[in-house]
Amino acid sequence: NAGVTQTPKFRILKIGQSMTLQCTQDMNHNYMYWYRQDPGMGLKLIYYSVGAGITDKGEVPNGYNVSRSTTEDFPLRLELAAPSQTSVYFCASQINRDTEAFFGQGTRLTVV
Amino acid sequence: DAKTTQPNSMESNEEEPVHLPCNHSTISGTDYIHWYRQLPSQGPEYVIHGLTSNVNNRMASLAIAEDRKSSTLILHRATLRDAAVYYCILRAQTGANNLFFGTGTRLTVIP
């Protein structure tokens, strides 16, 4: 059981470039989340989804987009990378909001 | 979501019990109390959660005050592997769907 898998683990982007952070889970979880974590800080929610075809904004959605075409996958898209998006990104999933959330190992993104 | 207050850091000697406090004075009657921890360079991992009664699992115990305005995560015997940032989180049953992570408590375990 792989759990929550994120790719890539590391990436350096130039300002203005775009990329997609991949997240997939094999636990058939309905709820999926994208968080970012800046150095020395807690996690902040970017977007979340309560099921395929349903997404909603979190605390810090600006500069990001998501889609949820399948239960397993929840990619995060950065369209015009900015230095302020340098951070570690975590994807998470859970069966419902009252249960344990499982996190991926993170993607460390640097925008230069 | 209601917010929590935790000490920035704590230290413990290896193999001794650790009590990590959390204040949540604005908790509502249906908010669950969740604890997660984050080891260095890893994603957060679930530790325990509860509503009103004290809870035990293989990792830790959660003691919840009678008025629910505070709780304590108890690690019965700290090991070096328990060195992490511990987050106390309130989980609302309705409204915005979020686990709100504050800055947590950084636990240092001294050999």
Side-chain angles (χ1 to χ4, degrees):
Chain A
N1 190 343
V4 178
T5 302
Q6 293 182 234
T7 56
K9 288 186 170 52
F10 304 93
R11 183 73 186 267
I12 298 175
L13 277 183
K14 294 185 178 178
I15 295 172
Q17 286 185 322
S18 61
M19 76 165 293
T20 299
L21 283 67
Q22 301 291 347
C23 176
T24 186
Q25 52 91 10
D26 60 359
M27 297 173 282
N28 202 33
H29 286 172
N30 290 322
Y31 288 54
M32 294 189 74
Y33 309 86
W34 274 106
Y35 287 89
R36 61 176 285 174
Q37 185 174 34
D38 297 332
M41 306 295 288
L43 283 71
K44 293 188 176 180
L45 183 67
I46 305 171
Y47 271 95
Y48 68 94
S49 169
V50 299
I54 305 169
T55 63
D56 210 342
K57 296 178 180 179
E59 300 173 77
V60 290
N62 291 342
Y64 306 95
N65 281 300
V66 293
S67 60
R68 185 92 182 272
S69 57
T70 67
T71 299
E72 294 78 19
D73 300 309
F74 191 40
L76 177 71
R77 179 85 177 160
L78 282 71
E79 291 294 350
L80 289 171
S84 61
Q85 294 177 305
T86 294
S87 191
V88 181
Y89 293 82
F90 290 102
C91 178
S93 74
Q94 62 183 159
I95 296 173
N96 58 53
R97 62 191 297 156
D98 296 331
T99 58
E100 171 184 358
F102 294 83
F103 285 79
Q105 290 301 299
T107 294
R108 185 175 298 273
L109 175 67
T110 302
V111 181
V112 295
Chain B
D1 288 308
K3 299 299 186 287
T4 62
T5 303
Q6 299 176 253
N8 288 334
S9 62
M10 291 183 64
E11 286 187 351
S12 173
N13 293 320
E14 194 177 9
E15 298 190 3
E16 290 187 354
V18 183
H19 291 232
L20 296 165
C22 181
N23 288 320
H24 28 79
S25 58
T26 60
I27 190 171
S28 74
T30 56
D31 287 347
Y32 277 82
I33 302 161
H34 289 246
W35 283 82
Y36 282 76
R37 72 180 185 181
Q38 188 173 21
L39 278 64
S41 300
Q42 295 194 23
E45 66 173 345
Y46 169 84
V47 178
I48 200 166
H49 78 283
L51 183 62
T52 55
S53 303
N54 294 344
V55 184
N56 300 294
N57 66 19
R58 63 176 178 79
M59 290 181 69
S61 296
L62 176 60
I64 301 173
E66 195 168 334
D67 64 4
R68 298 204 337 119
K69 294 185 185 298
S70 65
S71 60
T72 302
L73 178 70
I74 302 165
L75 306 179
H76 295 287
R77 287 183 69 214
T79 68
L80 296 178
R81 194 194 175 277
D82 292 321
V85 178
Y86 287 79
Y87 297 98
C88 169
I89 300 163
L90 299 185
R91 181 67 156 164
Q93 295 307 294
T94 58
N97 192 37
N98 188 12
L99 285 170
F100 180 81
F101 286 79
T103 52
T105 297
R106 181 175 298 278
L107 176 66
T108 300
V109 180
I110 302 168

